[in-house]
Amino acid sequence: MYRTVVFSCCLAVAVVAAAQEPAAPTIAVGDVTSNSALIWAQAEGPGQVVVEVQPGGTGAVQRFQRSLDAGTDFTAKIPVDGLSPGRRQRWRAVLLNAEGAPGATASGSFRTTPPSAADAPVRLLWGGDLAGQNVCRDAALGFEVLQAMNARAPELFVGMGDMIYADGLCEALGHYGNAQVPGAFGPAADMAGYRAHWRYARADAGLRQLLANSVYLPTWDDHEVVNDFGPLGDTPGEPPYASGVHLLPIGLAAMLEQNPVAEHPERPGRLYRAVRWGKHLELLLLDTRQYRDANGAPDRPERPKTMLGREQLTWLKDKLKSSDATWVVIASSVPLAIPTGWPPEGGRDGWANFDQPSGFEQELREIFRYAAEIGRKDLIFISADVHFAAAFSYRPYAGQPSFVVHELVTGPLSAGIGAIDDYDRDLGAERLFMHAPPTADAVHVYADARRYFGFGELDIDAAGTLSATLRDVDGKALYELRLTPEAAMRLARWQ
């Protein structure tokens, strides 16, 4: 069987055998600015990829051609400049085989950031925890939450970490009894293992569609490497891991290779970064993993621990002070008040100390203190990690009642369901909403588990009114936080 392939005005028309045609390239766009973006491409094998971008949908086509080889797992990163601010940019990609004949194609679009003075609306989705605890791609539906996410048509998608479970498995029979697409991998202990996990997730049609039509801003949490890891806790030792082998450098290399993240010229491996979207949004993406102190170390006022490291904390403070955006949104892969870390005696993995002196609360106190000092009242945290949805407010200072911090936590995209009913009440924490079963063990079948899958959505209109919504697997709103820039009043709806 044959078909004709036509790829724009610049590529030849060719006849190819459909039965021999490779899978279409996977394309993702990240690190966008008002006039530039980073395009990431991956194929199944060697050859070349040709990408064409039409700035603003009407400008002169820019054409890029890159070789794909096994040394980078058949990936390429393509910096694109000269784009129009705040416009939707359309792209097309085609794979060329070793003889230069065109094969499979892909197409999509993304929007560049509007100028910082523009009253531009934006829709941002966020979510994390994908293919964890053997809750992987359903054999019939794939990662079904992505259907609802694609229907929301976001400009930005923030991957909140645990976008792979490199220390887990994906078996033919899922944790909740449904048939799954099995993954041909075990826990990752080398580069090939990490690559296999990344490829498994992106073989999902829904994820490929989301990446093709939005700007993807990934960060990481622990399972991109190994459970609860940090630079002082990345050597599990027991099989399949080799004794004394540090996994952080391998997992970081895979994270950078497998995602549209630009290499920082002065800080190789840096993942924390900022995205400004018009007048109303400053998005700050934190790296909560590679600079942290050991989880088990005590966190004392006289000797506070650090999760962010000195340079990142300084960067965060500078951004909080210098940004004139209506809203500053901080993406933290670990939650603020919900206790995490397993087993607990190994130390707390998130910000909250809770029942132990081993979290990272002192550094969070410093962030809150600084934000209050400079008058930054419009602070919103988005997070994931705990495998259920929740919303919190924080009023840490009785003498400054107008200083309120909000946090919205999404349930898993597709992973084992969690349920932690208690939380750390320091820093004036109040839980506003929780969507979880009575206990994690109360969920036994997939039909029940899917009720707790979900994602977060943040919408800002041209006037600066912000709506942050927690949605379920079908896109239904569970909880909404509405804030106006004039009063910054909380108008929450529990639906």
Side-chain angles (χ1 to χ4, degrees):
M1 181 178 178
Y2 295 87
R3 70 180 180 87
T4 299
V5 175
V6 182
F7 184 75
S8 88
C9 61
C10 305
L11 299 181
V13 176
V15 178
V16 296
Q20 299 176 357
E21 184 177 291
T26 302
I27 306 292
V29 179
D31 286 358
V32 69
T33 72
S34 61
N35 58 15
S36 68
L38 182 70
I39 295 179
W40 175 91
Q42 185 174 49
E44 296 298 318
Q48 295 189 329
V49 63
V50 177
V51 179
E52 291 186 344
V53 181
Q54 190 170 35
T58 58
V61 171
Q62 297 188 44
R63 184 175 187 270
F64 307 89
Q65 187 166 333
R66 298 289 187 272
S67 296
L68 306 174
D69 58 54
T72 58
D73 197 28
F74 315 110
T75 66
K77 292 183 178 181
I78 305 169
V80 181
D81 297 309
L83 303 177
S84 307
R87 300 287 298 278
R88 184 153 292 277
Q89 324 289 325
R90 304 195 180 279
W91 58 264
R92 291 185 178 182
V94 64
L95 294 177
L96 308 181
N97 64 19
E99 289 72 39
T105 66
S107 62
S109 66
F110 63 95
R111 190 179 298 278
T112 49
T113 64
S116 60
D119 292 319
V122 63
R123 172 168 291 171
L124 176 153
L125 301 187
W126 81 92
D129 309 301
L130 190 69
Q133 295 78 45
N134 190 32
V135 184
C136 303
R137 287 162 51 205
D138 183 81
L141 301 171
F143 295 127
E144 62 170 318
V145 68
L146 292 163
Q147 299 175 30
M149 296 175 73
N150 280 305
R152 302 303 299 169
E155 279 84 22
L156 305 173
F157 168 43
V158 180
M160 288 297 303
D162 293 345
M163 297 302 289
I164 61 169
Y165 276 72
D167 50 358
L169 300 172
C170 287
E171 300 176 313
L173 183 66
H175 178 69
Y176 294 115
N178 58 313
Q180 297 187 150
V181 178
F185 47 70
D190 55 24
M191 193 67 169
Y194 285 106
R195 287 169 169 170
H197 281 268
W198 282 110
R199 281 184 169 275
Y200 175 87
R202 279 197 300 268
D204 182 78
L207 183 55
R208 289 166 67 100
Q209 180 183 346
L210 185 61
L211 298 182
N213 292 291
S214 63
V215 173
Y216 181 41
L217 301 169
T219 186
W220 67 352
D221 197 32
D222 52 338
H223 292 288
E224 278 84 2
V225 178
V226 71
N227 186 53
D228 289 353
F229 90 92
L232 302 175
D234 66 336
T235 55
E238 68 275 6
Y241 307 108
S243 178
V245 173
H246 288 275
L247 297 179
L248 191 160
I250 308 171
L252 177 59
M255 174 77 183
L256 291 168
E257 177 189 82
Q258 298 287 317
N259 289 281
V261 179
E263 288 279 2
H264 194 278
E266 299 175 1
R267 296 288 185 273
R270 171 176 154 173
L271 296 176
Y272 62 89
R273 56 208 190 277
V275 176
R276 179 64 182 264
W277 193 280
K279 179 179 179 180
H280 298 305
L281 175 63
E282 184 90 53
L283 174 65
L284 306 180
L285 300 157
L286 299 184
D287 179 349
T288 66
R289 306 308 319 185
Q290 65 173 313
Y291 310 112
R292 64 166 54 204
D293 288 332
N295 282 2
D299 183 39
R300 303 188 182 98
E302 66 275 12
R303 192 185 178 98
K305 288 167 62 175
T306 183
M307 183 185 292
L308 304 181
R310 183 181 63 182
E311 288 191 11
Q312 184 177 189
L313 180 59
T314 299
W315 168 86
L316 174 59
K317 288 181 174 180
D318 288 345
K319 287 294 183 182
L320 291 176
K321 185 175 184 178
S322 63
S323 178
D324 62 352
T326 305
W327 306 106
V328 173
V329 176
I330 299 177
S332 170
S333 68
V334 293
L336 276 58
I338 302 171
T340 62
W342 189 262
E345 55 267 24
R348 290 300 175 192
D349 187 63
W351 294 101
N353 287 336
F354 191 55
D355 57 349
Q356 299 184 32
S358 61
F360 296 83
E361 184 181 292
Q362 299 305 321
E363 188 167 60
L364 184 60
R365 284 181 179 274
E366 173 60 16
I367 295 169
F368 280 17
R369 182 204 64 78
Y370 184 79
E373 178 183 291
I374 63 174
R376 175 61 72 182
K377 302 176 184 179
D378 44 15
L379 203 57
I380 298 168
F381 280 79
I382 57 175
S383 59
D385 185 46
V386 291
H387 299 207
F388 62 89
F392 292 84
S393 67
Y394 301 84
R395 291 175 171 82
Y397 310 117
Q400 292 180 264
S402 64
F403 180 77
V404 183
V405 175
H406 298 280
E407 180 193 15
L408 289 101
V409 188
T410 60
L413 294 173
S414 182
I417 304 306
I420 303 172
D421 190 46
D422 211 349
Y423 62 95
D424 194 326
R425 287 165 173 77
D426 291 348
L427 297 172
E430 178 188 1
R431 187 172 64 199
L432 309 174
F433 172 77
M434 180 177 176
H435 180 59
T439 67
D441 294 337
V443 181
H444 302 287
V445 298
Y446 182 80
D448 289 337
R450 71 180 296 279
R451 295 172 50 216
Y452 301 102
F453 298 164
F455 61 97
E457 178 180 320
L458 188 148
D459 290 283
I460 304 176
D461 66 19
T465 298
L466 180 148
S467 298
T469 308
L470 298 174
R471 296 188 180 276
D472 71 6
V473 66
D474 298 312
K476 177 185 175 183
L478 300 169
Y479 175 87
E480 183 181 20
L481 172 75
R482 295 194 65 228
L483 300 169
T484 60
E486 296 81 11
M489 292 178 61
R490 177 178 156 271
L491 305 172
R493 289 206 304 267
W494 185 341
Q495 301 192 11

